[in-house]
Amino acid sequence: MRRTAALIVGGGPAGAAAAIGLARRGDTVELLERSRGPRDLVCGGFLGWDALSLLRQCGLNAATLGAHPITRLRVVTNAGAAEADLPHLAAGLSRRTLDEALLARAAEQGAVVRRGVSVRSVDPDERAVRLSDGQEIVADRLYLATGKHELRGAARPIADRPLAAGLRAAMMPRPADRDRLAGFIELHPLPDGYAGLLLQEDGSANLCLSVAQERMAGGSAKLLADLAREARALGRWIEQAEDGWAAIAGVPYGWRARGTEPGLFRLGDQGAVIASLAGDGVAIALASGLGVARGGPSAPAFQRRFARRAARPLAVAGAIKSLAEAPAASGVAARLLRFVPGAASVAARLTRIGARPV
Ligand SMILES: Cc1cc2nc3c(=O)[nH]c(=O)nc-3n(C[C@H](O)[C@H](O)[C@H](O)COP(=O)(O)OP(=O)(O)OC[C@H]3O[C@@H](n4cnc5c(N)ncnc54)[C@H](O)[C@@H]3O)c2cc1C
């Protein structure tokens, strides 16, 4: 068993931003990330203007990383498509590129970043973690940033919530499809979910969808075949994706941690999970990660601050999700987008956590 000052478990945007913020103010920081090298996650790859600003506060410029600029929203239903301007510049960037850049930045700032290290369980009262090789580390301050993945001993109490599943694939689009997608985030509402499409830094299209977890019961191949029939425009993209789908289940949209144990900070998706349709999860992760370096040392005070800041974006995103998923309502929403200029802009603004660290 060894002791350390600040230990971060998970090197996604939340954990990496916390490492950057804490190391920058001079703390001794160690971050444990189970992936050994670059990898993609089930994520839409959409970065809103708040995420772009928070990235700059981490010392990174998304444009320099090659992010594809996005200025417009397109909603596609079987009845047709509606388009609208976004209020500010957004971007498409793969998680492979984003997460590697954040981890490299954390190391540059002086954090010790250990890759290929998996935490098996946590004792929240002792702030002790056990690694998969049996080693134990006790931390003065422990930061949980494992995203959608539960840690034994510190799992989020989400069993009685409706859960969602996600699927993601990337593909090189046909030239005509690429031209049509350039500059857009394209959303396809589905009966109990949605699909999102955008271009990434290497010209590939990222197709990510989220559905109620029950729909995965027959397996992802059946789900994709069903969706291709239900949403015709989406079907063409599903065909292009062929295989190479990654899946995730157990996503508790709308969940927030309202309290925590002393010295134990829950960051990113471990603290608040926004409906992914809003495309603000990465911003929330960054805002919470950077926020721990700003406030005092009290974890319960931080957690309450984080829960308050996340309340409005989570509630608005949940309401938009319900609206978009009701078959009759999604047609209405698409018409609203077409005939009420600014409706998309208002909705997009209300679902942002904002560019200020928590
Ligand atoms: C279908 C879907 C689409 C989405 N699309 C978007 C989008 O377009 N834009 C957006 O902003 N947000 C989107 N989100 C939300 C976004 O992906 C999350 O909110 C964000 O990734 C949370 O960041 P995080 O750092 O908390 O966790 P994660 O990004 O999940 O990172 C957690 C890290 O912890 C590591 N880890 C896990 N367990 C362990 C362990 N035991 N030991 C060591 N390391 C561990 C993992 O390897 C990973 O690197 C989407 C979510 C879903 C489900």
Side-chain angles (χ1 to χ4, degrees):
M1 194 264 275
R2 69 180 168 87
R3 272 206 96 87
T4 190
L7 183 66
I8 300 169
V9 185
I20 291 167
L22 294 171
R24 201 154 52 190
R25 76 171 189 196
D27 289 11
T28 301
V29 186
E30 184 175 341
L31 180 150
L32 310 177
E33 164 55 43
R34 70 178 176 186
S35 63
R36 292 183 183 281
R39 60 15 174 184
D40 265 308
L41 293 176
V42 176
C43 184
F46 178 81
L47 297 176
W49 42 98
D50 50 352
L52 297 178
S53 167
L54 288 157
L55 277 176
R56 283 194 294 276
Q57 294 170 53
C58 289
L60 292 174
N61 184 326
T64 312
L65 297 173
H68 179 80
I70 294 176
T71 55
R72 305 262 293 156
L73 163 72
R74 180 183 294 127
V75 176
V76 184
T77 66
N78 284 341
E83 295 180 1
D85 285 332
L86 292 176
H88 301 286
L89 178 71
L93 188 67
S94 72
R95 288 296 301 274
R96 166 181 294 263
T97 297
L98 174 70
D99 291 17
E100 287 305 308
L102 281 164
L103 286 174
R105 183 76 187 142
E108 256 170 48
Q109 296 296 307
V112 175
V113 175
R114 294 175 62 201
R115 303 291 298 260
V117 179
S118 195
V119 169
R120 209 172 55 194
S121 62
V122 175
D123 178 338
D125 298 323
E126 300 296 323
R127 295 183 299 282
V129 304
R130 187 170 290 280
L131 309 187
S132 49
D133 64 4
Q135 205 193 127
E136 202 183 15
I137 309 176
V138 177
D140 295 338
R141 282 171 288 131
L142 181 59
Y143 300 88
L144 297 188
T146 54
K148 299 137 196 99
H149 307 278
E150 306 303 345
L151 277 172
R152 199 186 314 154
R156 297 167 298 178
I158 54 170
D160 54 357
R161 299 184 70 90
L163 298 173
L167 279 170
R168 175 208 168 258
M171 71 209 84
M172 275 302 166
R174 298 175 193 125
D177 289 332
R178 188 190 54 224
D179 293 349
R180 187 169 153 73
L181 198 51
F184 276 86
I185 168 74
E186 192 172 289
L187 297 179
H188 297 244
L190 302 168
D192 46 13
Y194 78 99
L197 264 164
L198 50 69
L199 293 179
Q200 309 184 120
E201 68 278 10
D202 59 357
S204 64
N206 191 59
L207 170 56
C208 191
L209 54 94
S210 170
V211 291
Q213 186 158 290
E214 303 79 74
R215 285 210 75 177
M216 290 282 274
S220 50
K222 177 176 183 317
L223 171 67
L224 289 167
D226 290 349
L227 292 179
R229 268 195 313 278
E230 287 166 19
R232 288 187 297 277
L234 181 63
R236 285 192 20 251
W237 286 99
I238 290 177
E239 263 168 39
Q240 286 185 65
E242 295 173 356
D243 42 20
W245 289 89
I248 178 120
V251 184
Y253 291 141
W255 182 83
R256 281 182 296 158
R258 289 156 200 270
T260 186
E261 293 83 350
L264 187 84
F265 299 75
R266 296 172 191 269
L267 309 179
D269 278 2
Q270 283 289 307
V273 186
I274 192 165
S276 58
L277 174 75
D280 210 43
V282 169
I284 291 175
L286 294 170
S288 63
L290 286 175
V292 288
R294 258 176 26 112
S298 163
F302 164 81
Q303 216 63 59
R304 284 194 297 274
R305 210 163 67 229
F306 182 13
R308 271 199 307 274
R309 270 288 293 284
R312 191 201 61 201
L314 263 62
V316 177
I320 293 173
K321 176 178 177 293
S322 306
L323 184 70
E325 288 176 1
S330 75
V332 174
R335 277 202 296 281
L336 190 73
L337 205 61
R338 207 171 303 144
F339 298 120
V340 184
S345 181
V346 171
R349 280 177 210 274
L350 290 175
T351 50
R352 302 293 115 188
I353 191 155
R356 200 166 32 87
V358 164

